[in-house]
């Protein structure tokens, strides 16, 4: 692996990327609206008028208002934002797992577009775009001065149309130019593989509308040849997605009516307990996919893999399985995004994405700016090195964890653990510079060169031995 590259889950812009935890809602009732601040609005009107009369070039009224709304939201926290018609449409389409573009999730840093993560098997991934890359030019347009949405629009385009990205990459003396071809991105959010020795591997790359149902389908395929000796659930580099999908995934491994997560905010709608119940993981009148779940899925010994790229919905699942002692969590501390965003539609097919609640694990832990600490710390490779990442706590305007309200009532699981009590051996501290000789991770699903996966399998095998001894 080359020098450690910083990558983070910044306020996500979607270029065929992945979503953060969302709920869709109508605008709040008038009773909940506070009185308007007359003096401040008068100041706003004066500034608006000054721009209209004296700015060096004419500015459209709609553009000024849109920028004002965008600035008002973006300064609240990293995840609240204004969605114009295109961005709102992309968000809605994105929950279905199909995107247009080049296949990267991006944020903004110092006026440049920062790559959070390329999506597996997309044009960006195949062209070698890497987390942490800074895009400073799109075709012949400099990114500096563009908003994130404007940059995202320029990276969109018709399938089979070319795009040229000029990139600054840490460790490279000169900027890189990468030319790739746009295409329709269809993201397969769930993948699985039956490993040697009767162990199963299940990877979730994002939490989309049909992810819960896909997990059940893959579990049926894994159990079809016979019982599994153990299962690895891989949530590494999964930046999240839909909240109900996270509850649905947890429902595949926890008993009915078990608490998965709870949310708490200022409004009554923001206070909710999400359990293993069809009302909490299904949308509309869809069939309950949990009914086709193989019964063994709720009993098989499990290890959950996480890292600094595991965020939001991933943290909900990992935290629920950890709190109920259903699985051991292995890897490095997760991203720490413990907030829920509500999408409020506006006239003109636009919307705002507003942070409305914090979420808590079943035991009442807040994840905001803290993350899920693994039961067993295992770095990316045997040398004790892990990719350095920006986390929620590093983001400007992030919600302060110290201001979390009192956690909702705690729930303690009475379900016996499928393994020994969690242990926390010391893990090496991530270093500033990685060994240049370390090999880049293989793109092969469940690669034998995957150090963390190997350790997860060793743990499952050890659990089998302990059960045999008993």
């Amino acid at each position: 692996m080359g020098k450690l590259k910083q990558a983070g889950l910044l306020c996500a812009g979607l270029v065929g990327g992945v979503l953060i935890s969302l709920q869709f809602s109508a605008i709040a009732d008038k009773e909940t609206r506070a009185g308007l601040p007359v003096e401040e609005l008068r100041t706003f009107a004066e500034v608006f008028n000054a721009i209209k009369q004296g700015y060096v070039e004419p500015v459209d009224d709609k553009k000024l208002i849109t920028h004002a709304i965008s600035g008002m939201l973006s300064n609240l926290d990293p995840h609240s934002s204004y969605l114009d018609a295109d961005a709102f449409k992309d968000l809605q389409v994105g929950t279905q797992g199909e995107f247009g573009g080049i296949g990267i999730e991006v944020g903004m840093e110092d006026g440049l577009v920062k790559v959070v993560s390329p999506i597996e098997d997309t044009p960006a991934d195949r062209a070698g775009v890497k987390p942490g890359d800074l895009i400073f030019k799109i075709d012949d347009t400099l990114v500096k001065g563009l908003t994130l949405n404007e940059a995202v629009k320029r990276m969109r385009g018709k399938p089979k149309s070319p795009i040229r990205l000029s990139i600054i990459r840490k460790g490279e003396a000169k900027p890189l130019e990468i030319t790739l071809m746009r295409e329709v991105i269809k993201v397969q959010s769930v993948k699985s593989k039956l490993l040697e020795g009767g162990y199963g591997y299940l990877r979730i790359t994002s939490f989309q509308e049909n992810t819960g149902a896909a997990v059940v389908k893959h579990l049926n395929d894994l159990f079809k040849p016979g019982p599994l000796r153990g299962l690895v659930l891989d949530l590494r580099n999964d930046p999240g997605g839909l909240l109900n999908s996270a509850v649905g995934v947890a429902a595949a491994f926890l008993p009915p009516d078990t608490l998965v997560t709870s949310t708490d905010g200022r409004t009554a709608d923001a206070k909710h307990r999400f359990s293993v119940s069809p009302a909490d993981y299904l949308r509309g009148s869809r069939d309950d996919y949990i009914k086709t779940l193989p019964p063994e899925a709720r009993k098989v010994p499990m290890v959950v893999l996480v890292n600094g790229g595991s965020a939001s919905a991933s943290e909900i699942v990992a935290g629920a399985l950890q709190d109920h002692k259903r699985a051991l969590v292995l890897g490095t501390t997760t991203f720490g995004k413990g907030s829920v965003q509500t999408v409020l539609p506006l006239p003109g097919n636009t919307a705002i994405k507003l942070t409305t609640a914090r979420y808590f694990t079943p035991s009442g832990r807040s994840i905001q700016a803290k993350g899920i600490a693994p039961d067993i710390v295992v770095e990316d490779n045997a040398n004790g090195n892990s990719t350095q990442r920006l986390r929620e706590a590093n983001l400007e305007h992030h919600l302060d964890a110290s201001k979390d309200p009192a956690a909702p009532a705690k729930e303690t699981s009475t379900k016996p653990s499928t393994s020994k009590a969690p242990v926390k051996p010391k893990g090496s501290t991530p270093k500033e510079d990685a060994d240049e000789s370390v090999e880049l991770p293989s793109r092969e699903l469940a690669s034998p060169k995957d150090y963390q996966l190997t350790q997860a399998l060793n743990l499952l095998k050890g659990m089998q031995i302990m059960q045999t001894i008993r």
Side-chain angles (χ1 to χ4, degrees):
M1 185 183 295
K3 290 186 176 180
L4 293 179
K5 301 173 180 63
Q6 288 194 341
L9 293 176
L10 307 177
C11 47
L14 297 175
V15 191
V18 209
L19 305 178
I20 55 180
S21 291
L22 298 173
Q23 298 187 85
F24 290 87
S25 173
I27 295 180
D29 292 337
K30 291 182 179 180
E31 291 88 14
T32 65
R33 296 176 183 173
L36 296 176
V38 177
E39 289 301 319
E40 287 78 6
L41 287 175
R42 183 177 289 116
T43 301
F44 174 83
E46 290 177 0
V47 173
F48 184 90
N49 189 53
I51 294 172
K52 289 292 294 180
Q53 291 185 359
Y55 187 66
V56 65
E57 296 175 350
V59 186
D60 180 69
D61 288 354
K62 183 177 179 181
K63 183 176 182 180
L64 282 176
I65 295 296
T66 297
H67 286 335
I69 295 172
S70 180
M72 182 165 50
L73 287 159
S74 63
N75 280 284
L76 293 175
D77 68 83
H79 310 295
S80 295
S81 63
Y82 172 74
L83 304 174
D84 63 18
D86 288 336
F88 187 28
K89 182 179 179 180
D90 279 352
L91 181 68
Q92 293 170 308
V93 172
T95 63
Q96 306 303 319
E98 183 173 306
F99 313 90
I102 59 177
I104 54 174
E105 184 189 357
V106 296
M108 212 74 177
E109 183 175 293
D110 298 328
L112 302 179
V113 173
K114 183 168 185 175
V115 177
V116 172
S117 178
I119 300 173
E120 294 177 18
D121 196 27
T122 62
D125 183 45
R126 294 191 293 267
V129 177
K130 299 180 181 297
D133 283 351
L134 293 171
I135 301 171
F136 69 89
K137 192 160 64 171
I138 303 168
D139 291 324
D140 295 320
T141 302
L142 291 173
V143 170
K144 203 79 170 179
L146 298 179
T147 66
L148 183 58
N149 280 343
E150 288 170 341
V152 166
K153 285 181 182 178
R154 291 186 178 275
M155 286 186 275
R156 294 194 196 106
K158 294 182 179 179
K160 298 184 180 180
S161 64
I163 180 173
R164 187 175 71 256
L165 303 179
S166 299
I167 289 173
I168 298 171
R169 178 175 295 167
K170 187 176 180 181
E172 296 287 346
K174 297 180 179 180
L176 305 175
E177 279 202 356
I178 298 178
T179 300
L180 54 164
M181 203 72 70
R182 296 179 179 93
E183 62 183 49
V184 174
I185 311 298
K186 293 185 178 181
V187 179
Q188 183 181 349
S189 67
V190 183
K191 301 177 182 179
S192 65
K193 188 174 183 179
L194 186 60
L195 305 179
E196 187 177 352
Y199 293 92
Y201 173 81
L202 186 69
R203 170 153 175 73
I204 302 177
T205 60
S206 62
F207 287 80
Q208 301 164 0
E209 188 66 51
N210 297 315
T211 297
V215 163
V216 172
K217 178 182 182 301
H218 279 266
L219 286 172
N220 275 292
D221 291 341
L222 287 171
F223 279 99
K224 190 173 294 182
L228 294 178
R229 300 178 66 187
L231 177 70
V232 176
L233 175 61
D234 190 352
L235 300 178
R236 291 174 297 177
N237 300 317
D238 181 336
L242 295 173
L243 179 57
N244 69 298
S245 289
V247 177
V249 170
F253 305 109
L254 295 172
D257 300 321
T258 302
L259 180 65
V260 176
T261 187
S262 57
T263 60
D264 187 51
R266 295 173 59 200
T267 67
D269 288 346
K271 304 175 190 296
H272 194 81
R273 290 165 65 86
F274 294 87
S275 302
V276 178
S277 165
D280 287 338
Y281 59 76
L282 293 181
R283 284 180 181 267
S285 59
R286 293 190 306 160
D287 293 335
D288 185 0
Y289 49 81
I290 293 297
K291 289 181 178 179
T292 64
L293 179 76
E296 299 87 354
R298 285 176 167 158
K299 301 176 182 178
V300 62
M302 285 182 65
V303 172
V304 179
L305 288 176
V306 296
N307 64 7
S310 307
S312 195
S314 300
E315 294 172 295
I316 288 175
V317 173
L321 297 181
Q322 186 182 56
D323 276 6
H324 290 297
K325 294 181 170 53
R326 175 62 186 88
L328 286 173
V329 178
L330 182 149
T332 56
T333 301
T334 61
F335 180 70
K337 181 184 174 296
S339 62
V340 177
Q341 281 65 50
T342 299
V343 175
L344 304 174
L346 298 173
N349 295 320
T350 62
I352 63 172
K353 180 152 60 71
L354 185 67
T355 298
T356 55
R358 289 175 167 88
Y359 66 75
F360 299 83
T361 70
S363 66
R365 289 183 294 158
S366 171
I367 297 169
Q368 176 58 27
K370 300 173 185 176
I372 294 290
D375 298 311
I376 301 176
V377 177
V378 176
E379 307 292 347
D380 286 352
N381 54 63
N383 293 337
N385 299 324
S386 281
T387 301
Q388 295 292 297
R389 297 177 181 272
L390 293 176
R391 287 184 165 84
E392 178 79 12
N394 305 123
L395 302 183
E396 191 175 4
H397 306 308
H398 72 270
L399 294 180
D400 189 347
S402 66
K403 295 182 180 179
D404 283 347
K410 297 181 179 181
E411 176 169 312
T412 304
S413 172
T414 57
K415 186 179 186 300
S417 171
T418 57
S419 63
K420 296 179 68 177
V423 292
K424 295 187 178 182
K426 292 182 180 180
S428 56
T429 302
K431 302 175 182 178
E432 290 299 320
D433 293 298
D435 184 345
E436 292 291 342
S437 65
V438 176
E439 186 175 353
L440 287 172
S442 170
R443 293 184 183 179
E444 177 188 350
L445 187 67
S447 167
K449 297 180 181 180
D450 186 334
Y451 179 71
Q452 289 174 319
L453 174 57
T454 299
Q455 299 311 307
L457 290 171
N458 288 340
L459 180 59
L460 286 171
K461 292 172 183 176
M463 290 161 59
Q464 284 284 334
I465 294 173
M466 292 301 299
Q467 288 179 354
T468 302
I469 292 175
R470 288 175 186 173

